[in-house]
């Protein structure tokens, strides 16, 4: 039936990505991707066909091809902000962080004066600079993001966690991390950050309580969280339980 739809409507791009989605959902990714790509190649000026293909490449994490497709799409739709925002992500994930930095700065410079979305771009720049090992610039960009949106949890969490890994400004890190678990009390990543900061500040009993909560909300799926919890349990001399969690991490 799927093949009949495509054969009956070869000029209808919707038939291509609708059936392409069917093939992908039934485990035939290569064939499904070809249909999405075919819709774009046969109708390069079709905005929805481009968006659907870009979304698919993002979902499949085919970053290099995604970067190329974003460039092709922007040739036809140069004002499409959603594609412009995906483009630096594609370059970043494909390993070209310098290109991603350039594109994020371009997005920031082109924002209208009263547009406050720059905090999203500054947050991403903070993450990129941290990956590059440039902590000074990373922290500077997190600060810029938080000046615009002081309640943006991804920046609060990452900034706090990276500072605590250095063992610096633990009081400031704890204050930022507390904001994240207050607004998202069931986020295991945020709970881990706060609990780990408590551990580094010497409050292992309180850290244990937050790690137990993190376990309830999916923390057992994270090697890092399991390892951190085991460290705290070991510090509390609960050796047998600590090794259970270390074995789970392994």
């Amino acid at each position: 039936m799927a093949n009949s739809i495509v054969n009956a409507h070869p000029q209808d791009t919707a038939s291509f990505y609708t059936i392409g989605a069917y093939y992908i959902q039934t485990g035939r990714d290569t064939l499904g991707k070809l249909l999405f790509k075919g819709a774009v190649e046969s109708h390069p000026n079709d905005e929805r066909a481009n968006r659907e293909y870009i979304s698919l490449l993002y979902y499949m994490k085919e970053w290099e091809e995604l970067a190329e497709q974003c460039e092709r799409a922007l040739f036809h739709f140069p004002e499409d902000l959603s594609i412009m925002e995906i483009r630096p992500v594609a370059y970043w994930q494909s390993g070209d962080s310098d290109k991603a930095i350039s594109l994020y700065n371009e997005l920031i410079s082109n924002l209208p004066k009263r547009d406050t979305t720059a905090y999203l771009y500054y947050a991403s720049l903070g993450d990129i600079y941290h990956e590059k090992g440039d902590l000074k610039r990373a922290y500077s960009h997190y600060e810029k993001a938080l000046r615009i949106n002081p309640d943006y949890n991804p920046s609060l969490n990452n900034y706090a966690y990276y500072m605590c890994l250095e063992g610096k400004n633990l009081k400031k890190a704890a204050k930022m991390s507390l904001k994240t678990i207050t607004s998202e009390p069931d986020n295991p990543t945020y709970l881990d950050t706060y609990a780990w900061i408590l551990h580094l500040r010497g409050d292992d009993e309180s850290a244990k309580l937050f790690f137990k909560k993190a376990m309830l909300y999916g923390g057992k799926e994270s090697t890092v969280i399991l390892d951190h919890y085991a460290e705290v349990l070991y510090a509390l001399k609960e050796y047998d339980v600590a090794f259970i969690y270390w074995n789970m991490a392994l």
Side-chain angles (χ1 to χ4, degrees):
M1 184 171 67
N3 289 331
S4 296
I5 292 171
V6 174
N7 291 332
H9 305 281
Q11 299 303 314
D12 184 354
T13 56
S15 69
F16 280 79
Y17 45 75
T18 299
I19 304 309
Y22 159 72
Y23 281 124
I24 289 166
Q25 290 169 10
T26 53
R28 290 166 282 184
D29 290 3
T30 301
L31 182 55
K33 180 184 168 185
L34 284 174
L35 284 165
F36 277 81
K37 188 175 182 179
V40 173
E41 289 179 343
S42 59
H43 300 279
N45 291 312
D46 187 316
E47 189 168 5
R48 184 175 177 188
N50 277 272
R51 285 175 177 271
E52 293 286 350
Y53 188 39
I54 286 170
S55 296
L56 175 69
L57 293 173
Y58 191 101
Y59 167 76
M60 297 178 75
K61 299 182 179 180
E62 297 196 6
W63 305 115
E64 290 186 9
E65 190 169 347
L66 175 59
E68 293 172 1
Q69 181 56 35
C70 285
E71 298 292 356
R72 286 192 290 267
L74 285 171
F75 176 80
H76 297 285
F77 315 104
E79 303 299 323
D80 192 310
L81 181 59
S82 64
I83 298 175
M84 286 191 279
E85 289 180 329
I86 291 173
R87 183 169 56 156
V89 177
Y91 280 105
W92 177 11
Q93 296 300 322
S94 63
D96 193 346
S97 57
D98 289 335
K99 177 69 172 179
I101 289 170
S102 174
L103 291 172
Y104 275 125
N105 284 324
E106 184 180 318
L107 282 167
I108 292 167
S109 64
N110 290 330
L111 282 174
K113 287 186 177 181
R114 295 188 179 182
D115 194 313
T116 61
T117 57
Y119 74 90
L120 296 169
Y121 309 144
Y122 284 129
S124 293
L125 284 167
D127 293 340
I128 295 173
Y129 278 118
H130 185 269
E131 284 185 6
K132 290 169 70 68
D134 191 338
L135 299 183
K136 184 177 180 180
R137 286 187 177 178
Y139 295 163
S140 172
H141 283 87
Y142 289 138
E143 291 281 1
K144 289 178 181 179
L146 293 171
R147 276 198 293 270
I148 299 171
N149 184 351
D151 299 317
Y152 186 51
N153 282 340
S155 286
L156 287 167
N157 178 75
N158 291 356
Y159 193 6
Y161 185 65
Y162 295 146
M163 281 199 297
C164 84
L165 291 182
E166 288 191 277
K168 296 180 178 179
N169 298 319
L170 293 181
K171 185 176 180 180
K172 179 179 179 180
K175 185 178 179 180
M176 290 193 296
S177 182
L178 181 59
K179 289 182 72 173
T180 69
I181 64 169
T182 300
S183 63
E184 293 187 50
D186 57 353
N187 186 310
T189 299
Y190 298 165
L191 289 165
D192 168 65
T193 297
Y194 187 63
W196 191 243
I197 293 169
L198 290 173
H199 164 66
L200 294 176
R201 298 185 76 187
D203 190 356
D204 288 313
E205 289 290 353
S206 296
K208 178 183 174 181
L209 295 175
F210 284 100
F211 274 122
K212 287 177 72 174
K213 192 173 181 181
M215 293 298 111
L216 295 174
Y217 292 114
K220 292 179 181 179
E221 303 302 315
S222 167
T223 302
V224 172
I225 298 177
L226 290 168
D227 179 55
H228 283 172
Y229 189 24
E231 290 279 358
V232 168
L233 292 168
Y234 194 86
L236 291 168
K237 298 183 180 181
E238 298 182 32
Y239 303 124
D240 291 342
V241 185
F243 279 103
I244 290 173
Y245 282 96
W246 267 320
N247 285 328
M248 289 173 66
L250 290 172

